[in-house]
Amino acid sequence: MAPQNKRGGKRPIPQGEQFFTPGATGLRAAVERRSAVPMTFLFTQVPRWVAPVLLVVLLLVGFAVANPLGGVAVLPVLAFIGWLAYLSWPSLGVGGKLLRVAMLTFLVLLAATRFGAF
């Protein structure tokens, strides 16, 4: 069942700037094109609370479990954050880019410690 807004209909696609980076070619254009369907599904068909709750649960499992299972739990969080960072990179300022690099570095180190790299 699709999420409904306050009036009982499906949530509309958010209004805003263009989803695709103007003039993008190669890998960026391919990733943006392939990301359109999952992003649209995630933001219109899945309840808003599902993605954040799932990511928090996986991250907490990654913190709590100090073996490779914890590393496996962190990998989807790392992939999702990396995917969003890649998509948003062209529109970010220096501070936003540094924050994403720091977050991805933290997640890579967390996963590496759970897999026994340190």
Side-chain angles (χ1 to χ4, degrees), residues 28-42:
R28 171 158 294 285
V31 170
E32 289 178 352
R33 193 173 37 260
R34 292 180 196 267
S35 295
V37 172
M39 290 285 272
T40 303
F41 177 78
L42 181 65

Side-chain angles (χ1 to χ4, degrees), residues 3 7 12 31-32 46 49 52 61 92-94 102 111 115:
R7 294 186 180 146
V31 170
E32 289 178 352
V46 177
W49 58 268
V61 169
L92 295 173
V94 174
F115 286 120

Side-chain angles (χ1 to χ4, degrees), residues 37-111:
V37 172
M39 290 285 272
T40 303
F41 177 78
L42 181 65
F43 293 132
T44 61
Q45 302 301 313
V46 177
R48 289 182 180 169
W49 58 268
V50 170
V53 168
L54 181 62
L55 292 173
V56 167
V57 167
L58 288 171
L59 190 58
L60 289 175
V61 169
F63 282 131
V65 180
N67 60 33
L69 185 60
V72 170
V74 172
L75 291 179
V77 177
L78 177 62
F80 186 77
I81 299 296
W83 175 54
L84 289 180
Y86 182 80
L87 290 176
S88 65
W89 195 263
S91 65
L92 295 173
V94 174
K97 289 179 180 180
L98 287 174
L99 184 62
R100 273 137 181 107
V101 168
M103 178 58 105
L104 290 171
T105 302
F106 169 75
L107 290 172
V108 166
L109 290 174
L110 177 62

